[in-house]
Amino acid sequence: MSLLSFLLGEKKKTAAVAKERLQIILAHERSGRNAGKPDYLPALQRELVAVISKYVKINPDDLKVHFERQDDLEVLEVKIELPDAAAK
């Protein structure tokens, strides 16, 4: 916001204010995470196994969840080994 807008009392639109607040919250959340894996990964892995097991019989050890952080980029990789169709 410019100094002139501040002095004249012009108000920002509600959407712009909400967007700025969300960006601040997201930046705060990201900076507050520890350097290791996020704490939600074990629960995510259990839930994925439960959902996939509804459709395909899998071993929970056949599902791997990997989290990697590179500079400003966060990558969540999910690898699932499905059984052969002939094994059914």
Side-chain angles (χ1 to χ4, degrees):
M1 183 159 38
S2 70
L3 180 61
L4 184 59
S5 296
F6 179 75
L7 293 175
L8 294 177
E10 294 179 26
K11 292 188 176 184
K12 289 186 176 183
K13 297 195 184 272
T14 306
V17 172
K19 182 179 176 181
E20 285 179 12
R21 287 180 181 166
L22 182 58
Q23 288 173 338
I24 291 169
I25 291 169
L26 288 173
H28 182 265
E29 287 292 320
R30 287 183 180 152
S31 67
R33 289 186 183 162
N34 57 6
K37 294 181 180 179
D39 57 351
Y40 61 81
L41 285 184
L44 176 65
Q45 188 165 353
R46 286 190 302 273
E47 291 175 18
L48 285 170
V49 168
V51 170
I52 294 167
S53 294
K54 290 180 182 180
Y55 304 97
V56 179
K57 185 177 178 181
I58 63 167
N59 183 348
D61 295 330
D62 291 339
L63 187 134
K64 306 287 187 227
V65 178
H66 177 73
F67 178 81
E68 185 176 326
R69 183 175 286 134
Q70 302 170 348
D71 300 322
D72 292 337
L73 182 65
E74 295 178 344
V75 177
L76 180 65
E77 178 183 18
V78 179
K79 290 174 58 176
I80 306 166
E81 291 182 35
L82 296 175
D84 293 332
K88 286 185 177 181

